Amino acid sequence: MELSTLWFLLIAVLWTGYLVLEGFDFGVGMLLPVLGRKDKDRRVMINTIGPVWDGNEVWLLTAGGATFAAFPEWYATMFSGFYLALLLILLALIMRVVAFEWRGKINTDQWRAWADRGIIAGSYVPALLWGVAFANLVRGVELDADHQYVGGFFALLNPFALLGGATTLLIFLTHGAVFLALKTSGDIREKAGALAARLSVVTLVVAGAWAVWAQLAYSVAWTWVAVVVAAGALVALVLTTRARREGWAFVASAVAIVAAVVLIFGSMYPDVMPAIDPANSLTVDNASSTDYTLTVMTWVAVILTPVVLLYQGWTYWVFRKRISADHIPEHTGLTFATVTAKAGAGTGHGGTSPDGSTRA
């Protein structure tokens, strides 16, 4: 196997890890207003992913870095052509990070409400736009003879791509609900399990429609295997969520995501960025780096990848137990009054109380 093909497969594996792991993170964030009616319930939900969400994002960074190093022309064309969509994803992810990290810093309902809005929006936007982006890669985009994207932002919002966005959104919602049912106990577990059972049916219909469309219009014969596996996993997801078998349901939703990635990358190959005019497509050959670069990357991956996998696996093992509202302590964050008082003391000037009056 040529190194360029090997790295195409490795990038697909990196995206698989990202979408499976970050997928339930997005799902939990999107479900905050649905299952987290009380602040303690929301804190339980956030704490289920608290130890792992930032580690899950490393898969995205690694996938992006690997694409930049192994296929620089693919990286350049995709990031320039999809600039606005990727910028929206980046801004949403930044907002989500800030909301996670700062939510507990100030002990007021208003502060937490704004942080929750950041988590919710920062989960919905990537969950939708990643599906739109990958669907466009399957369908093909408008590239000229110099491999530059010339279609514009709204050309990406075609019906096939929008259905792809709805597919990833629903898969991540269901994946997140199943994860919450697996990781919590008490009332949240029951509500998450019931919601997962309902969402799984909708996900089966929408994802099934997109997969069949992708297979019939844009894929090759062997990727029917991925479609069949995805269909079987989604049917199993419906059955296991109804039976409240959270562990098997999580496996089923993860397998469905893996099969979707196989369908996407299998449909693209040997292109890395298919064009509407096949003559202008970027392929694993004309978009790849030199053999020397790919060889160095391969040795680095062989040495470091097992270390990363062992560390992340250990993290999940340490934080494997269920949590409930009983495990959530009272808030310890500062109030705005305390912050302004300390600021005033630090500068030698009087602070301002929340009602606008000054005090020494």
Side-chain angles (χ1 to χ4, degrees):
M1 180 185 295
E2 294 183 357
L3 287 177
S4 57
T5 301
L6 174 63
W7 272 98
F8 179 79
L9 294 175
L10 290 177
I11 289 170
V13 170
L14 292 171
W15 277 108
T16 301
Y18 173 70
L19 296 175
V20 169
L21 298 177
E22 190 78 332
F24 65 74
D25 288 351
F26 290 146
V28 171
M30 289 186 285
L31 291 172
L32 275 186
V34 180
L35 300 177
R37 300 290 179 161
K38 296 181 292 186
D39 179 63
K40 270 207 171 181
D41 290 342
R42 293 193 176 198
R43 292 176 67 193
V44 169
M45 295 171 67
I46 292 171
N47 273 273
T48 61
I49 60 175
V52 297
W53 69 266
D54 49 353
N56 293 342
E57 290 193 342
V58 171
W59 289 83
L60 173 62
L61 299 176
T62 308
T67 303
F68 172 77
F71 299 99
E73 193 162 355
W74 179 18
Y75 182 94
T77 300
M78 183 168 60
F79 274 74
S80 59
F82 293 6
Y83 180 79
L84 183 55
L86 294 175
L87 177 63
L88 290 173
I89 292 174
L90 178 61
L91 292 175
L93 292 176
I94 292 172
M95 178 170 58
R96 182 168 167 265
V97 170
V98 172
F100 273 134
E101 295 292 345
W102 289 6
R103 187 182 190 275
K105 301 300 184 184
I106 303 295
N107 185 16
T108 68
D109 292 336
Q110 185 180 19
W111 179 270
R112 287 188 288 271
W114 278 108
D116 290 344
R117 292 185 189 105
I119 294 172
I120 295 164
S123 300
Y124 265 103
V125 172
L128 175 67
L129 292 184
W130 281 133
V132 171
F134 279 114
N136 274 293
L137 290 178
V138 171
R139 176 179 177 268
V141 293
E142 298 179 36
L143 300 182
D144 62 17
D146 295 322
H147 306 305
Q148 298 298 312
Y149 178 69
V150 293
F153 175 72
F154 290 103
L156 301 175
L157 304 180
N158 54 79
F160 179 74
L162 292 175
L163 185 60
T167 297
T168 53
L169 186 73
L170 285 167
I171 288 178
F172 293 160
L173 273 170
T174 308
H175 200 40
V178 170
F179 179 78
L180 285 171
L182 181 65
K183 284 289 294 177
T184 61
S185 56
D187 186 51
I188 295 181
R189 178 186 180 185
E190 293 301 318
K191 291 192 293 185
L195 180 60
R198 296 193 297 272
L199 284 171
S200 62
V201 177
V202 182
T203 302
L204 172 62
V205 174
V206 174
W210 182 83
V212 171
W213 187 354
Q215 179 62 43
L216 293 177
Y218 306 111
S219 296
V220 293
W222 74 265
T223 51
W224 272 113
V225 175
V227 175
V228 171
V229 171
L234 290 172
V235 171
L237 179 61
V238 172
L239 298 176
T240 51
T241 51
R242 291 195 172 193
R244 297 295 193 274
R245 300 291 298 275
E246 295 103 345
W248 285 112
F250 187 80
V251 171
S253 60
V255 169
I257 295 172
V258 173
V261 176
V262 172
L263 173 60
I264 291 167
F265 279 81
S267 300
M268 293 164 56
Y269 187 81
D271 298 331
V272 293
M273 197 164 186
I276 300 297
D277 181 354
N280 297 335
S281 295
L282 284 168
T283 69
V284 293
D285 294 322
N286 65 24
S288 68
S289 294
T290 63
D291 284 341
Y292 179 78
T293 299
L294 296 177
T295 300
V296 172
M297 289 177 62
T298 302
W299 279 110
V300 171
V302 167
I303 295 170
L304 295 183
T305 300
V307 177
V308 174
L309 292 176
L310 285 172
Y311 174 77
Q312 192 161 30
W314 176 75
T315 302
Y316 276 92
W317 175 256
V318 169
F319 296 100
R320 66 189 181 277
K321 293 185 177 180
R322 297 179 182 269
I323 64 173
S324 68
D326 295 334
H327 297 118
I328 303 300
E330 296 301 321
H331 285 291
T332 57
L334 299 172
T335 64
F336 280 115
T338 305
V339 172
T340 53
K342 287 187 174 182
T347 59
H349 300 288
T352 304
S353 66
D355 62 2
S357 61
T358 58
R359 59 180 174 178

PDB file of all heavy atoms in Angstrom, residues 230-250:
ATOM      1  N   ALA A 230     -24.485   0.275   8.790  1.00  0.00           N
ATOM      2  CA  ALA A 230     -25.109   1.430   9.440  1.00  0.00           C
ATOM      3  C   ALA A 230     -26.585   1.174   9.703  1.00  0.00           C
ATOM      4  O   ALA A 230     -27.108   1.500  10.778  1.00  0.00           O
ATOM      5  CB  ALA A 230     -24.925   2.677   8.583  1.00  0.00           C
ATOM      6  N   ALA A 231     -27.272   0.597   8.722  1.00  0.00           N
ATOM      7  CA  ALA A 231     -28.696   0.306   8.894  1.00  0.00           C
ATOM      8  C   ALA A 231     -28.912  -0.687  10.038  1.00  0.00           C
ATOM      9  O   ALA A 231     -29.806  -0.499  10.877  1.00  0.00           O
ATOM     10  CB  ALA A 231     -29.275  -0.245   7.588  1.00  0.00           C
ATOM     11  N   GLY A 232     -28.098  -1.736  10.069  1.00  0.00           N
ATOM     12  CA  GLY A 232     -28.215  -2.706  11.149  1.00  0.00           C
ATOM     13  C   GLY A 232     -27.939  -2.093  12.512  1.00  0.00           C
ATOM     14  O   GLY A 232     -28.633  -2.389  13.495  1.00  0.00           O
ATOM     15  N   ALA A 233     -26.927  -1.211  12.566  1.00  0.00           N
ATOM     16  CA  ALA A 233     -26.590  -0.559  13.842  1.00  0.00           C
ATOM     17  C   ALA A 233     -27.718   0.355  14.299  1.00  0.00           C
ATOM     18  O   ALA A 233     -28.043   0.419  15.492  1.00  0.00           O
ATOM     19  CB  ALA A 233     -25.295   0.226  13.694  1.00  0.00           C
ATOM     20  N   LEU A 234     -28.346   1.063  13.354  1.00  0.00           N
ATOM     21  CA  LEU A 234     -29.432   1.985  13.724  1.00  0.00           C
ATOM     22  C   LEU A 234     -30.676   1.215  14.167  1.00  0.00           C
ATOM     23  O   LEU A 234     -31.382   1.649  15.084  1.00  0.00           O
ATOM     24  CB  LEU A 234     -29.750   2.905  12.549  1.00  0.00           C
ATOM     25  CG  LEU A 234     -28.676   3.952  12.231  1.00  0.00           C
ATOM     26  CD1 LEU A 234     -28.998   4.679  10.926  1.00  0.00           C
ATOM     27  CD2 LEU A 234     -28.527   4.952  13.373  1.00  0.00           C
ATOM     28  N   VAL A 235     -30.953   0.092  13.517  1.00  0.00           N
ATOM     29  CA  VAL A 235     -32.065  -0.752  13.981  1.00  0.00           C
ATOM     30  C   VAL A 235     -31.771  -1.290  15.378  1.00  0.00           C
ATOM     31  O   VAL A 235     -32.642  -1.292  16.263  1.00  0.00           O
ATOM     32  CB  VAL A 235     -32.315  -1.901  12.987  1.00  0.00           C
ATOM     33  CG1 VAL A 235     -33.319  -2.903  13.569  1.00  0.00           C
ATOM     34  CG2 VAL A 235     -32.833  -1.358  11.657  1.00  0.00           C
ATOM     35  N   ALA A 236     -30.536  -1.735  15.584  1.00  0.00           N
ATOM     36  CA  ALA A 236     -30.145  -2.200  16.919  1.00  0.00           C
ATOM     37  C   ALA A 236     -30.245  -1.078  17.947  1.00  0.00           C
ATOM     38  O   ALA A 236     -30.623  -1.315  19.105  1.00  0.00           O
ATOM     39  CB  ALA A 236     -28.718  -2.752  16.878  1.00  0.00           C
ATOM     40  N   LEU A 237     -29.936   0.144  17.526  1.00  0.00           N
ATOM     41  CA  LEU A 237     -30.043   1.297  18.426  1.00  0.00           C
ATOM     42  C   LEU A 237     -31.492   1.507  18.858  1.00  0.00           C
ATOM     43  O   LEU A 237     -31.763   1.768  20.038  1.00  0.00           O
ATOM     44  CB  LEU A 237     -29.507   2.546  17.721  1.00  0.00           C
ATOM     45  CG  LEU A 237     -29.549   3.860  18.494  1.00  0.00           C
ATOM     46  CD1 LEU A 237     -28.717   3.777  19.765  1.00  0.00           C
ATOM     47  CD2 LEU A 237     -29.060   5.011  17.611  1.00  0.00           C
ATOM     48  N   VAL A 238     -32.420   1.386  17.926  1.00  0.00           N
ATOM     49  CA  VAL A 238     -33.835   1.526  18.267  1.00  0.00           C
ATOM     50  C   VAL A 238     -34.251   0.460  19.273  1.00  0.00           C
ATOM     51  O   VAL A 238     -34.908   0.748  20.284  1.00  0.00           O
ATOM     52  CB  VAL A 238     -34.707   1.436  16.992  1.00  0.00           C
ATOM     53  CG1 VAL A 238     -36.188   1.376  17.362  1.00  0.00           C
ATOM     54  CG2 VAL A 238     -34.436   2.613  16.063  1.00  0.00           C
ATOM     55  N   LEU A 239     -33.852  -0.771  19.031  1.00  0.00           N
ATOM     56  CA  LEU A 239     -34.261  -1.878  19.900  1.00  0.00           C
ATOM     57  C   LEU A 239     -33.618  -1.784  21.281  1.00  0.00           C
ATOM     58  O   LEU A 239     -34.280  -2.003  22.306  1.00  0.00           O
ATOM     59  CB  LEU A 239     -33.897  -3.212  19.243  1.00  0.00           C
ATOM     60  CG  LEU A 239     -34.589  -3.510  17.900  1.00  0.00           C
ATOM     61  CD1 LEU A 239     -34.072  -4.812  17.312  1.00  0.00           C
ATOM     62  CD2 LEU A 239     -36.099  -3.556  18.075  1.00  0.00           C
ATOM     63  N   THR A 240     -32.334  -1.463  21.325  1.00  0.00           N
ATOM     64  CA  THR A 240     -31.640  -1.431  22.620  1.00  0.00           C
ATOM     65  C   THR A 240     -32.056  -0.231  23.469  1.00  0.00           C
ATOM     66  O   THR A 240     -32.097  -0.318  24.695  1.00  0.00           O
ATOM     67  CB  THR A 240     -30.119  -1.408  22.408  1.00  0.00           C
ATOM     68  OG1 THR A 240     -29.770  -0.364  21.485  1.00  0.00           O
ATOM     69  CG2 THR A 240     -29.625  -2.747  21.881  1.00  0.00           C
ATOM     70  N   THR A 241     -32.361   0.894  22.825  1.00  0.00           N
ATOM     71  CA  THR A 241     -32.825   2.039  23.622  1.00  0.00           C
ATOM     72  C   THR A 241     -34.213   1.766  24.203  1.00  0.00           C
ATOM     73  O   THR A 241     -34.512   2.172  25.323  1.00  0.00           O
ATOM     74  CB  THR A 241     -32.857   3.330  22.781  1.00  0.00           C
ATOM     75  OG1 THR A 241     -33.574   3.103  21.566  1.00  0.00           O
ATOM     76  CG2 THR A 241     -31.453   3.801  22.465  1.00  0.00           C
ATOM     77  N   ARG A 242     -35.052   1.076  23.444  1.00  0.00           N
ATOM     78  CA  ARG A 242     -36.368   0.730  23.979  1.00  0.00           C
ATOM     79  C   ARG A 242     -36.266  -0.277  25.122  1.00  0.00           C
ATOM     80  O   ARG A 242     -37.080  -0.256  26.045  1.00  0.00           O
ATOM     81  CB  ARG A 242     -37.248   0.163  22.859  1.00  0.00           C
ATOM     82  CG  ARG A 242     -37.631   1.203  21.825  1.00  0.00           C
ATOM     83  CD  ARG A 242     -38.763   0.741  20.958  1.00  0.00           C
ATOM     84  NE  ARG A 242     -39.234   1.826  20.101  1.00  0.00           N
ATOM     85  CZ  ARG A 242     -40.367   1.792  19.424  1.00  0.00           C
ATOM     86  NH1 ARG A 242     -41.153   0.721  19.499  1.00  0.00           N
ATOM     87  NH2 ARG A 242     -40.733   2.813  18.676  1.00  0.00           N
ATOM     88  N   ALA A 243     -35.258  -1.139  25.051  1.00  0.00           N
ATOM     89  CA  ALA A 243     -35.057  -2.119  26.118  1.00  0.00           C
ATOM     90  C   ALA A 243     -34.227  -1.559  27.268  1.00  0.00           C
ATOM     91  O   ALA A 243     -33.985  -2.269  28.248  1.00  0.00           O
ATOM     92  CB  ALA A 243     -34.371  -3.360  25.546  1.00  0.00           C
ATOM     93  N   ARG A 244     -33.800  -0.302  27.154  1.00  0.00           N
ATOM     94  CA  ARG A 244     -32.965   0.369  28.157  1.00  0.00           C
ATOM     95  C   ARG A 244     -31.643  -0.383  28.392  1.00  0.00           C
ATOM     96  O   ARG A 244     -31.143  -0.457  29.512  1.00  0.00           O
ATOM     97  CB  ARG A 244     -33.705   0.523  29.486  1.00  0.00           C
ATOM     98  CG  ARG A 244     -34.948   1.396  29.410  1.00  0.00           C
ATOM     99  CD  ARG A 244     -34.596   2.847  29.073  1.00  0.00           C
ATOM    100  NE  ARG A 244     -35.707   3.739  29.299  1.00  0.00           N
ATOM    101  CZ  ARG A 244     -36.666   3.985  28.409  1.00  0.00           C
ATOM    102  NH1 ARG A 244     -36.629   3.395  27.225  1.00  0.00           N
ATOM    103  NH2 ARG A 244     -37.652   4.813  28.685  1.00  0.00           N
ATOM    104  N   ARG A 245     -31.068  -0.883  27.321  1.00  0.00           N
ATOM    105  CA  ARG A 245     -29.753  -1.520  27.397  1.00  0.00           C
ATOM    106  C   ARG A 245     -28.734  -0.477  26.973  1.00  0.00           C
ATOM    107  O   ARG A 245     -28.300  -0.417  25.822  1.00  0.00           O
ATOM    108  CB  ARG A 245     -29.698  -2.744  26.482  1.00  0.00           C
ATOM    109  CG  ARG A 245     -30.719  -3.836  26.812  1.00  0.00           C
ATOM    110  CD  ARG A 245     -30.401  -4.521  28.115  1.00  0.00           C
ATOM    111  NE  ARG A 245     -29.114  -5.193  28.043  1.00  0.00           N
ATOM    112  CZ  ARG A 245     -28.945  -6.426  27.560  1.00  0.00           C
ATOM    113  NH1 ARG A 245     -29.989  -7.104  27.093  1.00  0.00           N
ATOM    114  NH2 ARG A 245     -27.741  -6.981  27.542  1.00  0.00           N
ATOM    115  N   GLU A 246     -28.352   0.407  27.935  1.00  0.00           N
ATOM    116  CA  GLU A 246     -27.550   1.574  27.580  1.00  0.00           C
ATOM    117  C   GLU A 246     -26.193   1.229  26.974  1.00  0.00           C
ATOM    118  O   GLU A 246     -25.737   1.881  26.036  1.00  0.00           O
ATOM    119  CB  GLU A 246     -27.341   2.472  28.798  1.00  0.00           C
ATOM    120  CG  GLU A 246     -28.609   3.114  29.338  1.00  0.00           C
ATOM    121  CD  GLU A 246     -29.102   2.414  30.592  1.00  0.00           C
ATOM    122  OE1 GLU A 246     -28.625   1.279  30.851  1.00  0.00           O
ATOM    123  OE2 GLU A 246     -29.947   2.978  31.306  1.00  0.00           O
ATOM    124  N   GLY A 247     -25.545   0.208  27.530  1.00  0.00           N
ATOM    125  CA  GLY A 247     -24.229  -0.156  27.017  1.00  0.00           C
ATOM    126  C   GLY A 247     -24.275  -0.594  25.565  1.00  0.00           C
ATOM    127  O   GLY A 247     -23.493  -0.120  24.725  1.00  0.00           O
ATOM    128  N   TRP A 248     -25.198  -1.500  25.241  1.00  0.00           N
ATOM    129  CA  TRP A 248     -25.330  -1.958  23.865  1.00  0.00           C
ATOM    130  C   TRP A 248     -25.826  -0.849  22.954  1.00  0.00           C
ATOM    131  O   TRP A 248     -25.455  -0.785  21.775  1.00  0.00           O
ATOM    132  CB  TRP A 248     -26.250  -3.169  23.800  1.00  0.00           C
ATOM    133  CG  TRP A 248     -25.611  -4.417  24.300  1.00  0.00           C
ATOM    134  CD1 TRP A 248     -25.914  -5.117  25.427  1.00  0.00           C
ATOM    135  CD2 TRP A 248     -24.522  -5.119  23.678  1.00  0.00           C
ATOM    136  NE1 TRP A 248     -25.084  -6.204  25.564  1.00  0.00           N
ATOM    137  CE2 TRP A 248     -24.225  -6.228  24.508  1.00  0.00           C
ATOM    138  CE3 TRP A 248     -23.772  -4.922  22.521  1.00  0.00           C
ATOM    139  CZ2 TRP A 248     -23.209  -7.135  24.199  1.00  0.00           C
ATOM    140  CZ3 TRP A 248     -22.759  -5.820  22.222  1.00  0.00           C
ATOM    141  CH2 TRP A 248     -22.483  -6.912  23.047  1.00  0.00           C
ATOM    142  N   ALA A 249     -26.683   0.024  23.479  1.00  0.00           N
ATOM    143  CA  ALA A 249     -27.159   1.158  22.680  1.00  0.00           C
ATOM    144  C   ALA A 249     -26.002   2.071  22.308  1.00  0.00           C
ATOM    145  O   ALA A 249     -25.931   2.575  21.172  1.00  0.00           O
ATOM    146  CB  ALA A 249     -28.238   1.923  23.439  1.00  0.00           C
ATOM    147  N   PHE A 250     -25.090   2.300  23.241  1.00  0.00           N
ATOM    148  CA  PHE A 250     -23.932   3.151  22.952  1.00  0.00           C
ATOM    149  C   PHE A 250     -23.049   2.499  21.891  1.00  0.00           C
ATOM    150  O   PHE A 250     -22.555   3.173  20.978  1.00  0.00           O
ATOM    151  CB  PHE A 250     -23.128   3.406  24.225  1.00  0.00           C
ATOM    152  CG  PHE A 250     -22.015   4.398  24.048  1.00  0.00           C
ATOM    153  CD1 PHE A 250     -22.265   5.757  24.046  1.00  0.00           C
ATOM    154  CD2 PHE A 250     -20.704   3.964  23.863  1.00  0.00           C
ATOM    155  CE1 PHE A 250     -21.242   6.678  23.867  1.00  0.00           C
ATOM    156  CE2 PHE A 250     -19.676   4.875  23.677  1.00  0.00           C
ATOM    157  CZ  PHE A 250     -19.947   6.241  23.686  1.00  0.00           C
TER     158      PHE A 250
END
